[in-house]
């Protein structure tokens, strides 16, 4: 029997090393909260990461670059409704509440 593919609730695209570290932190925190999330670990381009986020059926995506890492905020995008919301990268409770919905 085929195992149903698990679609991530959130795909975190990261640009640069600091952003990558933050993305991994976010994914680990979400997984601890029972939310399936993924991020890039092979250093793909942003375009390739966003293509993957779409292809894997992620419900939400978020891009973290050095600006976002510095300001500690990022834009969370609902992939279906194309709606966007700014979320804090310091206090992830809001982010978790949104992606758990």
């Amino acid at each position: 029997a085929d195992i149903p593919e698990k679609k991530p609730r959130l795909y975190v695209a990261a640009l640069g090393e600091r952003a990558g570290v933050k993305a991994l932190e976010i994914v680990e925190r979400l997984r601890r909260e029972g939310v399936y999330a993924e991020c890039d670990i092979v250093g793909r381009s942003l375009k390739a990461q966003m293509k993957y986020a779409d292809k894997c059926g992620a419900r939400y995506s978020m891009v973290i670059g050095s600006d976002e890492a510095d300001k500690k905020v990022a834009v969370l995008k609902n992939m279906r409704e194309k709606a966007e919301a700014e979320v804090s990268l310091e206090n992830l409770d809001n982010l978790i509440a949104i992606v758990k919905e």
Side-chain angles (χ1 to χ4, degrees), residues 14-21 64-66:
L15 289 173
E17 203 173 322
R18 276 184 314 145
V21 170
I64 302 175
S66 44

Side-chain angles (χ1 to χ4, degrees), residues 10-71:
L10 173 65
Y11 182 84
V12 185
L15 289 173
E17 203 173 322
R18 276 184 314 145
V21 170
K22 192 67 200 170
L24 204 54
E25 263 176 45
I26 292 166
V27 166
E28 285 175 352
R29 168 79 197 276
L30 284 167
R31 287 179 176 178
R32 280 199 305 273
E33 300 279 341
V35 178
Y36 179 46
E38 276 188 37
C39 66
D40 181 69
I41 50 169
V42 292
R44 283 178 287 207
S45 70
L46 179 62
K47 191 177 173 190
Q49 290 184 64
M50 295 319 290
K51 211 174 190 175
Y52 177 78
D54 205 36
K55 199 178 88 178
C56 73
R59 177 77 191 271
Y60 294 94
S61 66
M62 187 163 71
V63 177
I64 302 175
S66 44
D67 283 358
E68 288 81 5
D70 290 342
K71 293 182 192 150

Side-chain angles (χ1 to χ4, degrees), residues 79-90:
M79 301 285 279
R80 286 187 205 150
E81 294 155 26
K82 306 291 183 222
E84 297 184 350
E86 202 169 78
V87 291
S88 165
L89 299 179
E90 273 190 311

